[in-house]
Amino acid sequence: MLRIMSRRGDDRIMWDSNKLETSNPEAVAAVQEAERIFKEERMRGATAFRVEPGKPVERIEKFDRTAEQIVMVPRVVGG
């Protein structure tokens, strides 16, 4: 799952890893959309974190389709 934090809360893109392995068209399309959004948000300055149960949260620079959850946090602008 890719979660993108925003003013509205968070948007989510989900896919089934098992279906992805069998090249299910819906799963493939979801991952492609998640990768596109990941790159777009990173270019805007967002920070990405891999969140896995029982493990410390890890900052990542590249999209990882095997991660259980990736959280995108937008750049915080002070004033």
Side-chain angles (χ1 to χ4, degrees):
M1 173 185 349
L2 176 66
R3 295 178 60 195
I4 305 98
M5 301 294 124
S6 70
R7 289 182 229 153
R8 300 179 310 272
D10 67 324
D11 296 317
R12 298 173 186 208
I13 299 195
M14 298 172 34
W15 61 91
D16 183 330
S17 296
N18 294 326
K19 289 183 179 180
L20 185 61
E21 290 177 13
T22 62
S23 299
N24 175 282
E26 289 180 20
V28 170
V31 168
Q32 289 173 341
E33 179 67 1
E35 286 178 303
R36 183 191 67 75
I37 291 170
F38 183 94
K39 289 177 186 174
E40 185 177 285
E41 292 297 319
R42 289 285 296 134
M43 289 179 68
R44 290 182 183 160
T47 304
F49 298 94
R50 178 181 319 155
V51 180
E52 305 274 344
K55 296 181 181 178
V57 173
E58 178 184 355
R59 183 177 176 174
I60 59 174
E61 302 295 324
K62 294 182 181 181
F63 183 79
D64 180 0
R65 63 177 57 196
T66 65
E68 185 169 322
Q69 185 174 175
I70 298 172
V71 177
M72 302 288 305
V73 180
R75 179 185 304 193
V76 177
V77 180

